[in-house]
Amino acid sequence: SASASATTPPPAQRGLPSLRSTTAGNTTTDARTIASTAHTVDQKAGAGTDAPPDLPVPATSVTALDGRVVNASLAAVAAPQPQVQVQARAQVGTRERAYVKVFDGATGHDAAVEGTAYLTYTLVSNATYNVPACLAFCDVTPGCVFVNLYYELNNPLLDFVFTEKSNLKCAAYGDTHTASEKTNFGGQQLAPLPAPASYIARSSGWSVDALVGAPVPDGYELVFGPTDGANNAPGYMGFAFIDKYDASACAALCNARDADTHGGACAYFNIWRALVDGVPTTYTCAFYYIPTDASTAVNYGQGSLKVTYSRGYRRTSLAVDGGFEGFTCASADEFCFAGSSGAWNGTSGAGGTLDASVFHYAGYARSGAGVGLLGSANGVDTLSGTLSPALGLQTVAGRRYLVTFFANTLYAGAEAEAGAYVDVLWNGDVAQSMRIGYRDWTYYETTVVARGNDGLGLHGGAAPAIAWNTNCGQTQRLRETMTTPSPKLPKFLRGKESEDGPPRPRARRTVSPAPGPPPAPRISLYASSPASTSGRLSERLSGWFSHTFSSSSSDLPSLLASTSFPRPSTPSPASSPKRALGPAALLAAAKHGKDRAMRYLLDPDAAPPDDSTAPIWILGVPHDPAALDADFASRIWLTYRSHFPPIRDVRLADLDAPSPQIPRRTWVWADKAWSSDTGWGCMLRTGQSLLANALVHLHLGRDWRRPSQPAPTPDYATYVRILTWFLDDPAPDAPFSVHRMALAGKELGKDVGQWFGPSTAAGAIKCSTPSPNPSA
């Protein structure tokens, strides 16, 4: 902003500001921190022994953020994107022709792949080694470019419980893997002794034969790639690791970044895959407020880390020439101005002259030479003016857009500039008024809702307080306003029912700049997409229940009535060796689990009722043998688990923070975070089982019985909700998870990995119980 005064010539006379904007060096890419963090994350996964097949491909998650390991959902870190869009774009490229064999299966015992970008798995018919069915599964799985086909033998879930009754697994991945990543040899004891342990046989890998262009996220344009060099450029804002190669997820994270104090909003990101010792390890999104290109893609890796599949994407704007750099002087002169340019029109107040104009002069610009001016350029009136894009904005009715710009009001001194202001006009109405006063270049943003082909204007600058503006624009894919409800005790643990209050929007803040150099000016106008709640923990159960309560589970009573199963005449990889299994062994096999959550079926050591007519007691209730099963099946059983999200070395309170601060230290007896409680979690699981059954008793009554199939009733919904509180997940939605109880025990003096006593387990339950919210 500027104001003509007796001591400062008006801008049209090339008057100089009384106080020039300060500058400092730009921040460039922190390649060292990115590389060191890549050596600390573990994103390798595969098809678990107890997860049901054909689960939906999970949404992309964030493994690390700016050097901190977070293991959070994308929705928790950034604006959630539509689920189908995230799935369809989570890949390093798209398939062009057919598949090629990457490695063959070994005879005898073999191993399955544990690698990055695991998506889901299916069971294909084991009548033959069914490669075509596995490749067809990859064709219909969003983001799949590689499959690992193998037999998993001696897994009773595959043989007796899951509907497919096949032990031939087809695991889908969003990245290609090699035989060196075959590290899962089985070896789990999945049925009671003397049954043999599980093992893997004939594990082969198949990949698409050619990868072409990856989909471009909405609101962005591809600048370069793929290459084997990452950007090393100014305007760097930070980085994130994600669990799949997903440009849409990087775009969501870029949109969600808080504006840089002197650079503004994220305008560009670079996505690339990191190979460590030749093995895919993670997928990097690096963010910048200054767009760059392939000329700065010169970081090829450090040490054992190599950069591959690097692409750059620039955020697009609906407002053309937001930095006013398209306006140039006709001659070699470095100073000129006009009431309008090819991209912007200036409108003066009634009777005014040049109350809105465009200048080409480095002395006034934030960077470069282009800048817009609000207020009389020649100082002849005190009227405000309006700058508007010359071309209509191609907006979509109903969508939200983000208007961003920088303003400066240092031209004529503090007293003259005290009344400086800028109004953002949207279809002629004031969307937001900024009373700027006397201020250096400052970033502003405003959210608007489109009606379609909308009109944008920047209005203000009544002399003597006229305003300089640059980096003005309207961007596509506005980050959604996030809601962060206050933590509350689950309703079923409160003394009375109450409704949560309305969600509080996460306010966007105006950023005051620190001294620093400006990026190339650009007006940005970004549009939004509808939010998704697919990342909610409770909803992740739906796939599990739909599978485990399918036809195979509905046959459970008839299976229980059977005393044995036929033994195959000739064991082979296509037919696992099956010894005679009674009901106890079958129930031990039926240890379902979704997303490595929990097991809760019947006691594997329960023997069939004998001929005794004496009552059988369960938790204080006598039963005759015929009525035993219904009560027994309604009890919740939680036991050892493996392959759940790692228990990280944080405080319990850090799990509820937006970005947990994770110190660099390790657990006792371990060199990395725990992903299994086998061997040390017995008392924790006992405490969980005790509490879970007490909650069922409290809220459903001792006489409640679990139906044989899911039922749309309030009681069944209560039962499912209680189950979600014990999922093996660090999220606050699972307050009694092994993660939270283990960390609560750590605060009571027991390190994770050590055996808990009854008192410590009880104290961990108490510490894990959410505190009541007085306002709830």
Side-chain angles (χ1 to χ4, degrees):
S1 297
S3 165
S5 68
T7 58
T8 304
Q13 298 178 16
R14 205 182 301 202
L16 294 177
S18 60
L19 181 64
R20 300 298 300 273
S21 178
T22 56
T23 60
N26 282 314
T27 302
T28 56
T29 310
D30 187 359
R32 177 172 296 182
T33 299
I34 295 175
S36 64
T37 307
H39 286 84
T40 66
V41 298
D42 182 5
Q43 297 180 188
K44 298 176 175 59
T49 58
D50 54 1
D54 301 312
L55 293 174
V57 175
T60 302
S61 64
V62 181
T63 307
L65 191 64
D66 298 329
R68 303 187 309 275
V69 177
V70 296
N71 289 316
S73 67
L74 181 65
V77 179
Q81 303 300 305
Q83 178 72 6
V84 64
Q85 183 181 72
V86 171
Q87 291 181 351
R89 299 182 177 208
Q91 58 192 60
V92 295
T94 53
R95 183 168 62 88
E96 187 176 45
R97 290 185 294 277
Y99 291 87
V100 294
K101 183 186 292 185
V102 180
F103 54 84
D104 209 344
T107 58
H109 286 216
D110 204 348
V113 167
E114 289 281 314
T116 57
Y118 170 71
L119 303 175
T120 185
Y121 86 96
T122 193
L123 295 172
V124 298
S125 172
N126 60 2
T128 62
Y129 190 68
N130 207 332
V131 175
C134 187
L135 302 184
F137 174 68
C138 188
D139 283 338
V140 298
T141 300
C144 178
V145 298
F146 172 86
V147 285
N148 179 208
L149 181 65
Y150 60 93
Y151 293 104
E152 185 173 304
L153 291 92
N154 299 330
N155 183 342
L157 278 176
L158 306 181
D159 298 331
F160 304 121
V161 178
F162 294 151
T163 308
E164 296 79 4
K165 302 298 190 297
S166 172
N167 58 8
L168 186 54
K169 280 188 170 182
C170 174
Y173 290 82
D175 202 349
T176 299
H177 298 285
T178 63
S180 66
E181 297 171 81
K182 294 165 64 172
T183 57
N184 173 18
F185 295 88
Q188 294 88 2
Q189 190 67 46
L190 301 178
L193 293 172
S198 66
Y199 69 93
I200 307 299
R202 200 174 173 186
S203 173
S204 63
W206 301 78
S207 177
V208 297
D209 67 341
L211 294 175
V212 293
V216 177
D218 290 345
Y220 287 79
E221 59 184 350
L222 178 67
V223 178
F224 75 90
T227 69
D228 290 336
N231 290 121
N232 187 7
Y236 174 71
M237 302 178 72
F239 75 96
F241 287 163
I242 53 179
D243 67 344
K244 308 180 190 71
Y245 191 101
D246 186 351
S248 291
C250 289
L253 291 165
C254 183
N255 296 347
R257 280 261 157 180
D258 284 335
D260 183 82
T261 53
H262 63 270
C266 180
Y268 175 92
F269 69 85
N270 177 211
I271 181 173
W272 50 276
R273 180 183 68 172
L275 299 181
V276 176
D277 296 322
V279 175
T281 301
T282 189
Y283 308 92
T284 303
C285 309
F287 309 106
Y288 300 82
Y289 58 79
I290 302 177
T292 185
D293 53 32
S295 66
T296 64
V298 295
N299 173 20
Y300 305 106
Q302 297 85 34
S304 61
L305 184 146
K306 302 300 180 186
V307 175
T308 58
Y309 286 112
S310 174
R311 292 180 172 96
Y313 294 89
R314 177 172 53 237
R315 206 171 183 181
T316 58
S317 175
L318 300 184
V320 178
D321 191 23
F324 304 101
E325 293 297 328
F327 176 72
T328 57
C329 302
S331 63
D333 195 352
E334 297 179 353
F335 179 87
C336 59
F337 61 94
S340 296
S341 67
W344 290 85
N345 292 330
T347 304
S348 299
T353 303
L354 288 177
D355 295 325
S357 52
V358 179
F359 276 71
H360 179 89
Y361 180 47
Y364 296 158
R366 181 169 175 269
S367 66
V371 66
L373 176 65
L374 296 177
S376 178
N378 51 24
V380 299
D381 62 57
T382 60
L383 302 175
S384 299
T386 303
L387 281 170
S388 303
L391 301 176
L393 301 176
Q394 301 301 309
T395 53
V396 177
R399 295 188 67 178
R400 295 187 303 156
Y401 290 80
L402 183 67
V403 179
T404 67
F405 64 95
F406 281 82
N408 178 294
T409 54
L410 297 181
Y411 190 85
E415 183 177 354
E417 298 283 3
Y421 76 99
V422 174
D423 290 342
V424 176
L425 304 182
W426 189 247
N427 296 317
D429 298 325
V430 177
Q432 186 170 352
S433 182
M434 286 81 169
R435 300 296 163 176
I436 298 173
Y438 180 68
R439 186 171 297 183
D440 201 348
W441 287 111
T442 304
Y443 172 81
Y444 298 93
E445 59 183 37
T446 303
T447 301
V448 293
V449 179
R451 297 188 303 209
N453 298 316
D454 299 84
L456 169 67
L458 297 179
H459 174 80
I466 60 180
W468 299 105
N469 297 271
T470 191
N471 292 73
C472 312
Q474 184 181 23
T475 65
Q476 295 183 351
R477 296 196 70 76
L478 165 72
R479 79 167 157 169
E480 295 287 346
T481 300
M482 302 294 292
T483 58
T484 309
S486 58
K488 294 187 178 181
L489 189 68
K491 290 182 181 178
F492 290 103
L493 294 179
R494 302 182 196 169
K496 60 181 180 179
E497 292 288 336
S498 62
E499 295 295 331
D500 295 345
R504 294 174 295 178
R506 184 171 124 186
R508 303 186 67 87
R509 59 189 178 90
T510 299
V511 183
S512 298
R522 180 170 290 101
I523 292 186
S524 301
L525 181 58
Y526 305 118
S528 68
S529 58
S532 167
T533 59
S534 60
R536 294 183 53 159
L537 184 61
S538 60
E539 296 179 8
R540 288 161 44 200
L541 285 173
S542 59
W544 180 53
F545 278 107
S546 66
H547 190 91
T548 56
F549 290 103
S550 64
S551 59
S552 70
S553 292
S554 64
D555 293 334
L556 188 58
S558 62
L559 294 175
L560 288 173
S562 175
T563 58
S564 65
F565 296 90
R567 182 194 307 270
S569 56
T570 305
S572 67
S575 178
S576 296
K578 304 180 182 70
R579 62 185 185 87
L581 298 178
L586 172 63
L587 297 178
K591 294 184 288 186
H592 297 60
K594 194 280 173 194
D595 197 24
R596 300 179 170 87
M598 60 188 167
R599 300 163 180 156
Y600 81 100
L601 280 178
L602 309 184
D603 188 342
D605 298 322
D610 54 26
D611 295 331
S612 173
T613 59
I616 300 174
W617 292 76
I618 299 179
L619 298 179
V621 177
H623 297 282
D624 60 62
L628 171 67
D629 290 344
D631 190 8
F632 196 50
S634 301
R635 302 308 113 212
I636 298 176
W637 174 46
L638 298 104
T639 186
Y640 292 138
R641 300 287 300 161
S642 60
H643 300 295
F644 49 63
I647 304 175
R648 301 290 180 183
D649 190 2
V650 298
R651 297 178 301 112
L652 180 61
D654 291 336
L655 294 181
D656 301 326
S659 298
Q661 300 293 324
I662 299 177
R664 295 181 177 274
R665 59 178 185 271
T666 56
W667 296 114
V668 174
W669 307 347
D671 59 359
K672 63 178 181 180
W674 292 86
S675 59
S676 172
D677 67 321
T678 301
W680 60 269
C682 51
M683 190 56 66
L684 286 179
R685 297 303 188 178
T686 301
Q688 285 182 319
S689 298
L690 179 66
L691 178 60
N693 286 288
L695 290 171
V696 169
H697 191 172
L698 174 66
H699 299 296
L700 299 176
R702 183 62 186 85
D703 296 331
W704 181 83
R705 297 293 180 263
R706 179 170 65 87
S708 59
Q709 294 195 27
T713 64
D715 282 353
Y716 191 77
T718 299
Y719 175 69
V720 172
R721 187 175 185 188
I722 291 172
L723 294 180
T724 68
W725 296 341
F726 295 87
L727 289 174
D728 288 343
D729 195 290
D733 288 341
F736 306 114
S737 67
V738 68
H739 298 69
R740 303 180 78 87
M741 290 181 63
L743 293 177
K746 186 174 185 294
E747 296 179 1
L748 297 174
K750 288 288 186 182
D751 276 320
V752 177
Q754 291 184 332
W755 291 299
F756 283 41
S759 298
T760 306
I765 291 175
K766 180 179 180 181
C767 294
S768 301
T769 302
S771 301
N773 190 329
S775 63

